[in-house]
Amino acid sequence: MKGVELRHLRYFVAVAEERHFGRAAARLHMAQPPLSQQIRQLESELGLQLLRRTTRRVELTPAGEAYLVRARQIIAAVSSAAGEAQRVAAGLQGRLAIGCVGSATYSLLPSLVRTLREELPDVEVAVQGEMLAPDQARALVDGRIDLGLLRPPVDEEALRLQVLRADRLIVAVPDRHWLAERRRVRLEELVDEDFVIHAGGGRSVMHDTVLARCREAGFEPRIRHEVAETSTLVTFVAAGLGIAVVPAPTAELRVPGVAYRALTGQASVELAAATRADDESPQLQRALSVLAGLVQ
């Protein structure tokens, strides 16, 4: 004997529940003599008598009654583990950690999480919003998040990027600002304005984008405040501390005292889904499929 195997437990449970070797054998689709032999081997391995056999019926010993309880639990646990593994393999169960830049936190992220919960209710979704692109790249490489919604470029060979859409740039101004009375604003008209901008020093793609667009328009922006989070940036605008050039989805963040106005021209920034290049987990693939459907 090599020890007690799962089949021995199934044989024993069938006999214990049927209280008859013939009926148990029929239930198991096997002949009665091999079944009786397997039960004897089980009892020999355990050094216990589990069943009392009579000509008409099989009865459980006290040890058999106790063993039946645990045997059922073990069989159920194995079955549950198999089902869970199959669901994980199919991407229907598991965990998915998502990071997101500020502007997409207010637009794309809510619908993404809501759809994932509806379509994949057994996948635990953890979200961290207001993450700048470099922070997301590090978190992806370190395995702290599985999916990043960020602004390219990202200089990291271990990551794979899929561009989702291009977001137009708009300007956020205090609602009593003279530009708030306009429907559209030319970037050149911001030459004398104080700017609130995302943090520089390689921490934010938006910082470099805004500087580049202003320089193309012929001026150097007068930066008064640098912040890490889009929500803080918009709050500073509401407080009258300056104006800000932001991606259009930022307008979903409705802060009293702020007006959003379109910028002329075609200036935009891309939004991309970033994943580890070697991550082929099924729940991530399902999430990417959901994401693709939302941005179509």
Side-chain angles (χ1 to χ4, degrees), residues 177-248:
H177 194 282
W178 66 275
L179 288 172
E181 299 178 1
R182 305 272 295 279
R183 291 185 60 188
R184 301 179 67 84
V185 177
R186 291 183 296 109
L187 201 57
E188 295 86 343
E189 294 179 282
L190 306 181
V191 61
D192 294 323
E193 300 295 330
D194 292 335
F195 275 70
V196 183
I197 193 170
H198 285 88
R203 296 182 58 198
S204 169
V205 171
M206 277 303 302
H207 177 95
D208 297 340
T209 297
V210 172
L211 261 62
R213 298 292 84 78
C214 289
R215 288 165 181 167
E216 289 174 1
F219 71 97
E220 196 73 21
R222 191 166 64 208
I223 299 173
R224 294 304 189 194
H225 300 278
E226 292 190 13
V227 300
E229 298 180 343
T230 303
S231 57
T232 303
L233 182 147
V234 175
T235 300
F236 277 24
V237 172
L241 298 177
I243 60 94
V245 175
V246 294

Side-chain angles (χ1 to χ4, degrees), residues 126-149:
V127 176
Q128 185 171 348
E130 294 278 11
M131 289 186 74
L132 298 176
D135 297 332
Q136 289 191 53
R138 286 190 292 272
L140 281 163
V141 172
D142 294 343
R144 288 180 282 122
I145 63 173
D146 308 299
L147 170 62
L149 301 177

Side-chain angles (χ1 to χ4, degrees), residues 24-105:
R27 169 174 157 179
L28 294 166
H29 305 288
M30 63 186 299
Q32 182 175 331
L35 176 60
S36 299
Q37 182 181 10
Q38 292 293 323
I39 297 298
R40 284 195 296 271
Q41 287 179 345
L42 173 61
E43 291 178 317
S44 175
E45 181 69 24
L46 297 174
L48 297 170
Q49 183 181 5
L50 301 176
L51 302 169
R52 293 193 188 94
R53 301 157 177 82
T54 68
T55 55
R56 295 186 177 182
R57 189 170 173 80
V58 174
E59 298 291 344
L60 288 168
T61 66
E65 293 281 3
Y67 198 72
L68 176 61
V69 173
R70 296 305 299 271
R72 283 170 169 162
Q73 292 173 345
I74 292 169
I75 292 171
V78 171
S79 177
S80 176
E84 181 176 336
Q86 290 168 353
R87 289 180 62 78
V88 170
L92 299 174
Q93 188 169 331
R95 186 178 187 275
L96 185 71
I98 303 173
C100 189
V101 293
S103 53
T105 301

Side-chain angles (χ1 to χ4, degrees), residues 102-103 106-107 170 230 233-234 246-254 260:
S103 53
Y106 320 121
S107 56
I170 61 175
T230 303
L233 182 147
V234 175
V246 294
T250 306
E252 297 292 332
L253 181 59
R254 304 188 185 280
Y260 298 98

